[in-house]
């Protein structure tokens, strides 16, 4: 638990592994997930590293597995996922895996090619069957006495477009000015199938290219046909074209080829057509049988592959990750040992040694691995131990910036402060209950929801922050009880402590009095406060907003000052750990004094005002009545400006004896802290540097005098001091500038950050008012309808009100309060002590690699 408050202690280690044991040892370290390897070959190309061939083999195996997965998904076959993670196979097992994948891919590709060829034959036979069926109508007309040639020629001459279906009178084919004997006219025709959407353009091209000397008839195929290449369903039409001569025949065939129309033989004799149709039907039946057998074989192959494909993916990805990691290692001069450098947590060194020992035993090597700690000046990575509960809060902190090494971690404190400050803005028991139920549902269904691997980014964000959502809902329920606000209504649990005392009857009051004024000074009313939260009578009061404004505004300032003081105190623990005494004396102490003497004093004035002033009718105690209660804001402004607070003659301008003198002392002390923060640290460092330079120069002069050669060393020393003085002066100027920026930021930030916490009051008031408006303008309308229609109206209006409540008040207002709370932690709280300049610890972990691969979009 100690590493949660501060990042874990890290060390740089050097690892020596035998070549035959390196694979198994890295595999064990990947399962452990506690080692971050460094690249010892940064200048070596990725294609020139030692294990590049093994990585390529893994890429090829992944490609084959993706092909199998694509085919499995195409057939809708469920893939078995046991949730287990098999160990990385040994290198010798790669050959068996490659052979298995090669066999499956070849078999599946062969089956697919055969199926595609069969489907293409089936498509051709189906189209030919449709041609024989659709063109039969035209030939029946010819056999019934209507000459198709005469119909064709009459249509070609009399119409300005290609002739369509219908019987026409006897007209000669050809141009009008020519006369040809019908006995010599022997028409040719072609029949085929074309995509339905290409028919209009096809007709226009035939008309223009053939100059109207063609006769086209077409009929739509009602059922869609399957494209054997893509598997899509397409709609096609049957056509038959009559023309004269070989020249037109060549031209028509080229046009058909250009429009990708498929031509089929169509006999003119009825007996030949019937015989061909019977043969086509027989072949179609045979093809259906073969296609069914082919699909069954394909299905069996895919079902067998679906049972193991998840485990195969895990194995291949683990092998690939191991060889990628081995490419980061160096070879020693004997080419028999691999050398690696890695960052590891100090507390986990024993576990890492055990993992290396297991890997050595698995490989059968007799030489144990060697793990040596190294000294380095590099900044170690930051590693915070987290679990499923703390991971979400740690992610909020890391989004701002990774903590510097061994810096105080704000995450454990954020677990409480974040949902609490959120709840101050989102204080409604009903809305908090909805949020808590949603978060609780995700927590209860954690395992099945995590196993689904949903691709939605919004859902993954919600699920990753399920514990945050649950705590925000629970804390909102608490603050909702404090505010006594449940869907903008109050709960009278303990009975109101305000009582109406009058001689009039209730009916008379309702008839003649629009409002009743309750006097808190009267003993008949508020004898003692409401046991928990606000009295429900405030829900009916006209001055409810005024009362809640004053209450929530003061609470926001109190919480804000306490939160910032806690952030400043965190900097003390950082300075104590890093033994930075200068920052404690010249930064922490004046910062605390400045914040306490001004802003914490303002908080104390609020408590003094609450305790001192009370409602009373006694004239002798009028100076302690609410009439004489001073404004805290005006008092604070006058305190800083050294002005007197003007009040009525009957009132006392101060709340306690000696207030004016104490306030002046506090302001003066707070103002003295500004030059303390601004100048003390740079001046102290500058004097220390001058003392060091003087002591070094004095020692050099003494040694030169003892050696009998004082003149030359003194000249050299003078030059060095001059150079050092120039460099130090540059550094000192930068230090003064940096300290000035830090001081101005803190002084002005104390004011702006205090005002920033007023968002707690503003959003809380806005949320309450929006909830009340939604109740009064939507749901209350359903309660005003009488009779049986009221039930129907209430049912409809309640549904509308519930949708608006969830979408606006829970989701939108919840998101707004979440972002404001995040800002209060990032800026107002963490800026007091948190640098966030570190880099994250990224260990070699199979779990992380597999999670990343499962959420990445699949490659085609």
């Amino acid at each position: 638990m100690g590493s949660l408050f501060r990042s874990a202690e890290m060390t740089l280690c050097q690892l020596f592994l035998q070549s035959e044991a390196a694979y198994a040892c890295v595999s064990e370290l990947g399962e452990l997930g506690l080692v971050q390897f460094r690249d010892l070959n940064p200048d070596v190309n990725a294609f020139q590293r030692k294990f590049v061939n093994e990585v390529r083999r893994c890429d090829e195996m992944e490609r084959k597995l993706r092909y199998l997965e694509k085919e499995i998904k195409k057939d809708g076959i469920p893939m078995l996922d046991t949730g287990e993670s098999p160990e990385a196979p040994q290198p010798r097992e790669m050959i068996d895996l490659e052979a298995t994948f090669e066999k499956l891919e070849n078999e599946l590709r062969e089956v697919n090619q055969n199926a595609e060829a069969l489907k293409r034959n089936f498509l051709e036979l189906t189209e030919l069957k449709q041609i024989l069926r659709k063109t039969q109508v035209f030939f029946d007309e010819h056999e019934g006495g209507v000459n198709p040639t005469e119909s064709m020629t009459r249509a070609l001459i009399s119409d300005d477009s290609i002739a369509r279906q219908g019987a026409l009178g006897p007209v000669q084919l050809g141009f009008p000015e020519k006369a040809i004997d019908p006995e010599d006219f022997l028409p040719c025709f072609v029949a085929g199938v074309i995509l339905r959407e290409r028919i209009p353009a096809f007709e226009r091209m035939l008309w223009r290219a053939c100059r109207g000397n063609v006769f086209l008839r077409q009929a739509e195929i009602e059922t869609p046909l399957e494209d054997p290449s893509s598997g899509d369903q397409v709609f096609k039409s049957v056509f038959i074209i009559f023309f004269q001569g070989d020249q037109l025949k060549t031209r028509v065939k080229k046009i058909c080829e250009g429009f990708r129309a498929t031509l089929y033989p169509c006999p003119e004799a009825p007996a030949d057509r019937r015989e061909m149709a019977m043969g086509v039907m027989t072949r179609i039946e045979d093809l259906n049988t073969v296609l069914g057998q082919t699909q069954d074989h394909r299905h069996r192959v895919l079902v067998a592959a679906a049972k193991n494909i998840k485990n195969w993916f895990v194995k291949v990805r683990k092998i690939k990750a191991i060889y990628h990691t081995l490419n980061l290692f160096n070879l020693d001069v004997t080419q028999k040992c691999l050398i690696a450098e890695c960052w590891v947590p100090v507390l986990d060194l024993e576990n890492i040694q055990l993992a290396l020992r297991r890997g050595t035993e698995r490989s059968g090597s007799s030489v144990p691995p060697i793990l040596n700690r190294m000294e380095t000046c590099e900044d170690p990575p930051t590693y915070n131990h987290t679990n499923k509960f703390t991971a979400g809060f740690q992610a909020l902190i890391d989004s701002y910036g990774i903590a510097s090494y061994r810096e105080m971690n704000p995450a454990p404190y954020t677990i409480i402060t974040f949902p609490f400050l959120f709840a101050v803005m989102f204080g409604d028991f009903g809305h908090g209950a909805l949020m808590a139920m949603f978060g609780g549902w995700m927590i209860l269904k954690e395992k099945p929801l995590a196993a689904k691997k949903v691709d939605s980014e919004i859902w993954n964000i919600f699920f990753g922050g399920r514990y945050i959502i649950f705590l925000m809902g629970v804390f909102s329920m608490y603050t909702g009880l404090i505010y006594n606000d449940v869907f903008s209504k109050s709960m009278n649990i303990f009975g109101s402590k305000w009582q109406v005392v009058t001689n009039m009857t209730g009916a008379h009051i309702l008839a003649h009095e629009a409002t009743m004024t309750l006097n808190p000074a009267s003993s008949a009313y508020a004898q003692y406060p409401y046991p928990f939260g606000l009295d429900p009578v405030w829900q009916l009061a006209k001055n409810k907003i005024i009362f809640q404004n004053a209450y929530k505004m003061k609470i926001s300032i109190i919480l804000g000052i306490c939160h910032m003081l806690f952030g400043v105190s965190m900097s003390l623990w950082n300075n104590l750990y890093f033994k930075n005494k200068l920052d404690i004396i010249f930064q922490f102490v004046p910062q605390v004094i400045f914040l306490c003497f001004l802003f914490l004093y303002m908080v104390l004035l609020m408590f003094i005002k609450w305790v001192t002033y009370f409602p009373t009718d006694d004239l002798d105690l009028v100076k302690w009545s609410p009439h004489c209660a001073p404004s805290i804001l005006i008092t604070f402004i006058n305190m800083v400006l050294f002005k007197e607070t003007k009040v009525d003659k009957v009132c006392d301008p101060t709340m306690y004896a000696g207030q004016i003198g104490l306030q002046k002392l506090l302001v003066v002390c707070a103002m003295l802290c500004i030059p303390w923060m601004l100048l003390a640290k740079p001046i102290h460092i500058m004097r220390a540097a001058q003392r060091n330079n003087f002591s070094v120069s004095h020692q050099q002069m003494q040694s030169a005098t003892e050696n009998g050669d004082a003149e030359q060393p003194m000249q050299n020393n003078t030059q060095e001091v001059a150079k050092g003085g120039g460099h130090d002066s540059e550094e000192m100027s930068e230090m003064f500038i940096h300290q000035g920026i830090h001081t101005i930021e803190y002084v002005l930030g104390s004011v702006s950050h205090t005002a920033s916490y007023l968002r707690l009051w503003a959003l809380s008031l806005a949320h309450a008012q929006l909830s009340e408006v939604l109740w009064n303008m939507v749901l209350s309308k359903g309660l005003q309808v009488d009779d049986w229609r009221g039930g129907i109206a209430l049912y409809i209006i309640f549904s509308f009100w519930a949708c608006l409540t969830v979408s606006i008040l829970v989701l939108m207002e919840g998101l707004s309060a979440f972002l404001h709370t995040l800002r209060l932690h990032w800026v107002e709280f963490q800026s007091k002590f948190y640098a966030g300049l570190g880099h994250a610890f990224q260990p070699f972990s199979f779990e992380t690699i597999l999670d990343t691969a499962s959420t990445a979009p699949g490659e085609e």
Side-chain angles (χ1 to χ4, degrees):
M1 195 63 181
S3 62
L4 181 63
F5 295 96
R6 196 183 297 277
S7 61
E9 186 178 357
M10 308 294 292
T11 182
L12 183 63
C13 294
Q14 193 172 35
L15 180 62
F16 296 88
L17 297 173
Q18 287 297 112
S19 297
E20 57 270 14
Y23 180 92
C25 290
V26 173
S27 174
E28 291 292 335
L29 294 177
E31 298 288 351
L32 193 62
L34 291 174
V35 178
Q36 177 180 334
F37 292 100
R38 301 173 63 187
D39 189 1
L40 300 183
N41 308 295
D43 300 328
V44 180
N45 193 302
F47 300 100
Q48 297 175 347
R49 303 202 176 193
K50 179 176 177 59
F51 300 98
V52 64
N53 292 329
E54 285 78 3
V55 174
R56 286 175 176 171
R57 290 166 62 189
C58 292
D59 287 335
E60 181 65 17
M61 286 192 290
E62 267 196 306
R63 182 195 64 77
K64 294 174 182 176
L65 286 177
R66 284 196 299 269
Y67 172 71
L68 290 175
E69 184 183 33
K70 179 182 177 182
E71 296 298 319
I72 291 171
K73 289 181 177 179
K74 184 186 295 184
D75 282 17
I77 301 173
M79 291 178 285
L80 180 63
D81 188 4
T82 59
E84 300 178 356
S85 179
E87 293 184 354
Q90 294 299 319
R92 58 181 175 270
E93 297 181 31
M94 281 184 64
I95 301 175
D96 297 335
L97 288 176
E98 287 178 314
T100 302
F101 300 159
E102 183 74 19
K103 178 183 176 182
L104 283 174
E105 185 192 26
N106 292 337
E107 185 176 4
L108 193 58
R109 288 191 182 278
E110 183 179 357
V111 170
N112 288 340
Q113 290 174 359
N114 293 337
E116 184 177 349
L118 291 173
K119 287 181 179 179
R120 186 171 289 107
N121 292 337
F122 181 80
L123 176 65
E124 293 173 355
L125 291 174
T126 304
E127 291 178 347
L128 180 56
K129 181 184 73 172
Q130 293 291 336
I131 287 176
L132 295 174
R133 180 180 301 172
K134 297 294 183 182
T135 57
Q136 183 65 33
V137 178
F138 182 77
F139 288 108
D140 288 345
E141 293 175 357
H142 170 58
E143 293 171 0
V146 181
N147 191 326
T149 303
E150 295 177 352
S151 300
M152 175 183 64
T153 53
R154 180 178 179 88
L156 289 172
I157 297 173
S158 62
D159 199 357
D160 60 348
S161 64
I162 293 181
R164 308 208 176 244
Q165 298 181 15
L168 302 175
V171 181
Q172 180 180 334
L173 175 65
F175 296 102
E177 63 272 11
K178 293 183 180 180
I180 299 178
D181 188 358
E183 297 294 336
D184 299 332
F185 176 72
L186 296 175
C188 301
F189 67 91
V190 294
V193 176
I194 191 173
L195 290 175
R196 189 177 299 176
E197 60 267 18
R198 295 178 180 172
I199 285 290
F202 182 59
E203 290 181 353
R204 288 193 297 271
M205 181 59 70
L206 281 173
W207 172 260
R208 293 170 182 171
C210 299
R211 300 182 181 179
N213 289 280
V214 292
F215 177 59
L216 170 71
R217 296 189 67 177
Q218 60 93 11
E220 296 178 352
I221 301 176
E222 294 81 3
T223 57
L225 304 177
E226 181 182 357
D227 188 347
S229 300
S230 62
D232 299 333
Q233 299 291 328
V234 294
F235 289 90
K236 294 188 175 182
S237 296
V238 172
F239 66 87
I240 183 167
I241 307 171
F242 287 91
F243 49 84
Q244 178 189 8
D246 293 337
Q247 185 176 3
L248 282 180
K249 181 177 182 179
T250 304
R251 194 175 300 176
V252 168
K253 285 187 175 181
K254 286 185 178 180
I255 294 173
C256 292
E257 182 181 354
F259 280 88
R260 296 184 180 179
T262 307
L263 300 180
Y264 293 95
C266 182
E268 187 173 0
D272 295 340
R273 288 199 303 272
R274 284 193 297 270
E275 183 180 356
M276 179 179 286
M278 293 176 61
V280 167
M281 294 301 297
T282 304
R283 292 179 61 188
I284 287 177
E285 292 177 0
D286 295 340
L287 273 179
N288 276 326
T289 304
V290 177
L291 270 175
Q293 294 174 353
T294 304
Q295 291 297 333
D296 290 342
H297 178 62
R298 167 189 162 89
H299 186 77
R300 287 193 298 270
V301 172
L302 293 179
V303 167
K307 295 178 181 179
N308 300 312
I309 191 167
K310 292 292 185 181
N311 288 341
W312 286 340
F313 264 119
V314 172
K315 290 180 179 180
V316 171
R317 284 164 179 164
K318 284 187 176 182
I319 297 172
K320 183 179 178 181
I322 291 172
Y323 282 117
H324 266 302
T325 304
L326 290 175
N327 277 331
L328 305 178
F329 294 6
N330 260 343
L331 283 171
D332 69 338
V333 292
T334 64
Q335 301 289 317
K336 294 182 179 180
C337 180
L338 290 173
I339 305 173
E341 292 182 3
C342 54
W343 290 103
V344 298
V346 174
L347 296 177
D348 294 313
L349 277 173
E350 185 177 352
N351 295 331
I352 294 171
Q353 293 279 14
L354 292 175
L356 291 173
R357 194 174 300 121
R358 288 195 304 268
T360 305
E361 293 174 356
R362 282 180 53 192
S363 64
S365 175
S366 59
V367 181
I370 301 173
L371 185 66
N372 294 328
R373 298 182 63 172
M374 301 172 59
E375 296 294 334
T376 180
C377 296
E378 296 183 28
D379 290 333
T382 300
Y383 174 50
N384 293 295
H385 289 283
T386 58
N387 52 38
K388 61 182 180 180
F389 175 71
T390 59
F393 295 96
Q394 188 66 54
L396 292 179
I397 304 302
D398 294 342
S399 299
Y400 175 79
I402 304 298
S404 302
Y405 179 64
R406 302 294 289 167
E407 186 180 23
M408 286 296 293
N409 183 20
Y413 317 104
T414 306
I415 294 174
I416 298 300
T417 59
F418 190 91
F420 178 72
L421 292 182
F422 171 87
V424 173
M425 292 182 278
F426 197 75
D428 189 293
F429 184 86
H431 301 153
L434 295 176
M435 186 174 291
M437 286 189 293
F438 177 62
W441 172 77
M442 288 191 291
I443 293 173
L444 292 176
K445 301 291 184 180
E446 185 175 288
K447 290 185 178 179
L449 290 176
K452 287 185 177 180
K453 303 293 184 183
V454 182
D455 294 334
S456 174
E457 185 176 357
I458 295 177
W459 166 254
N460 290 331
I461 292 174
F462 280 154
F463 184 72
R466 56 193 178 278
Y467 289 97
I468 301 176
I469 294 174
F470 177 73
L471 285 182
M472 291 192 303
V474 171
F475 276 71
S476 297
M477 293 170 65
Y478 167 75
T479 54
L481 292 177
I482 293 293
Y483 298 155
N484 204 348
D485 198 354
V486 185
F487 295 117
S488 78
K489 295 300 177 184
S490 297
M491 294 189 300
N492 191 3
I493 301 175
F494 304 102
S496 176
K497 303 308 173 184
W498 294 79
Q499 301 175 9
V500 178
V501 179
T502 180
N503 295 326
M504 296 182 292
T505 62
H508 190 268
I509 293 174
L510 295 177
H512 297 87
E513 298 290 339
T515 59
M516 290 295 296
T517 302
L518 304 181
N519 184 9
S522 175
S523 59
Y525 298 122
Q527 294 290 339
Y528 50 89
Y530 197 67
F532 187 82
L534 293 181
D535 196 300
V537 77
W538 285 108
Q539 185 67 28
L540 305 175
K542 285 192 172 182
N543 61 337
K544 177 183 69 172
I545 296 180
I546 298 175
F547 168 74
Q548 290 185 349
N549 268 350
Y551 170 71
K552 294 181 179 180
M553 186 186 299
K554 292 181 176 63
I555 290 295
S556 301
I557 296 298
I558 293 171
L559 295 177
I561 298 299
C562 295
H563 201 211
M564 289 192 295
L565 266 176
F566 180 63
V568 175
S569 65
M570 295 283 286
S571 65
L572 174 63
W573 296 107
N574 274 333
N575 294 328
L576 288 175
Y577 179 82
F578 293 113
K579 299 178 181 179
N580 196 343
K581 295 182 180 179
L582 292 182
D583 284 347
I584 296 176
I585 299 173
F586 301 127
Q587 286 189 7
F588 170 73
V589 174
Q591 285 178 359
V592 171
I593 294 175
F594 182 83
L595 195 61
C596 291
F597 282 16
L598 291 181
F599 299 98
L600 185 61
Y601 175 74
M602 180 175 62
V603 171
L604 294 177
L605 288 180
M606 295 179 187
F607 284 98
I608 293 174
K609 179 179 178 180
W610 285 341
V611 174
T612 304
Y613 297 92
F614 56 90
T616 179
D617 293 331
D618 192 347
L619 296 179
D620 296 334
L621 300 175
V622 66
K623 65 178 182 178
W624 307 116
S625 65
H627 172 72
C628 292
S631 170
I632 301 298
L633 180 60
I634 299 301
T635 302
F636 180 74
I637 294 174
N638 292 336
M639 165 187 165
V640 176
L641 299 178
F642 295 98
K643 291 177 61 178
E644 295 184 359
T645 304
K646 297 181 180 180
V647 296
D648 293 342
K649 295 180 179 180
V650 296
C651 299
D652 193 344
T654 60
M655 289 187 280
Y656 60 91
Q659 178 181 349
I660 302 299
L662 178 61
Q663 290 180 167
K664 291 182 179 179
L665 177 63
L666 293 178
V667 173
V668 171
C669 293
M671 293 301 108
L672 290 176
C673 291
I674 297 178
W676 188 356
M677 290 184 285
L678 180 63
L679 302 174
K681 182 179 177 180
I683 292 175
H684 177 82
I685 295 175
M686 182 173 60
R687 289 185 176 179
Q690 290 176 352
R691 287 195 298 269
N692 291 335
N693 289 334
F694 175 76
S695 61
V696 171
S697 301
H698 185 65
Q699 292 176 2
Q700 290 178 351
M701 291 175 64
Q702 285 182 348
S703 61
T705 304
E706 292 174 357
N707 294 331
D709 188 10
E711 182 177 357
Q712 185 66 28
M714 287 180 63
Q715 294 177 358
N716 295 336
N717 180 54
T718 304
Q719 295 175 359
E720 291 176 0
V721 170
K723 293 180 181 178
H727 180 68
D728 290 343
S729 62
E730 182 180 355
E731 289 184 352
M732 292 308 301
S733 63
E734 292 181 0
M735 185 177 298
F736 273 104
I737 294 174
H738 179 268
Q739 197 67 21
I741 294 174
H742 183 77
T743 303
I744 294 172
E745 180 182 356
Y746 180 81
V747 173
L748 298 182
S750 299
V751 181
S752 63
H753 292 176
T754 303
S756 182
Y757 278 94
L758 290 175
R759 70 185 69 238
L760 299 174
W761 151 65
L763 265 74
S764 174
L765 186 65
H767 183 81
Q769 291 301 306
L770 187 59
S771 179
E772 186 174 354
V773 167
L774 197 59
W775 180 285
N776 294 331
M777 298 189 66
V778 179
L779 189 59
S780 62
K781 304 298 182 182
L783 300 174
Q784 298 174 2
V785 183
D786 299 328
D787 303 330
W788 59 272
R789 293 168 295 183
I792 299 176
L794 183 60
Y795 178 83
I796 298 174
I797 293 176
F798 176 80
S799 302
F800 183 58
W801 173 82
C803 293
L804 292 178
T805 298
V806 173
S807 60
I808 297 178
L809 294 179
V810 177
L811 291 179
M812 294 180 62
E813 282 286 313
L815 178 61
S816 175
F818 177 87
L819 295 176
H820 283 285
T821 309
L822 196 62
R823 181 242 154 78
L824 290 178
H825 281 78
W826 281 357
V827 179
E828 278 72 23
F829 174 60
Q830 292 178 194
S831 63
K832 303 295 186 297
F833 68 97
Y834 188 71
L837 301 177
H839 56 282
F841 177 61
Q842 297 176 338
F844 169 61
S845 172
F846 286 145
E847 183 180 0
T848 304
I849 294 171
L850 294 177
D851 288 343
T852 304
S854 63
T855 56
E859 299 179 15
E860 297 297 334

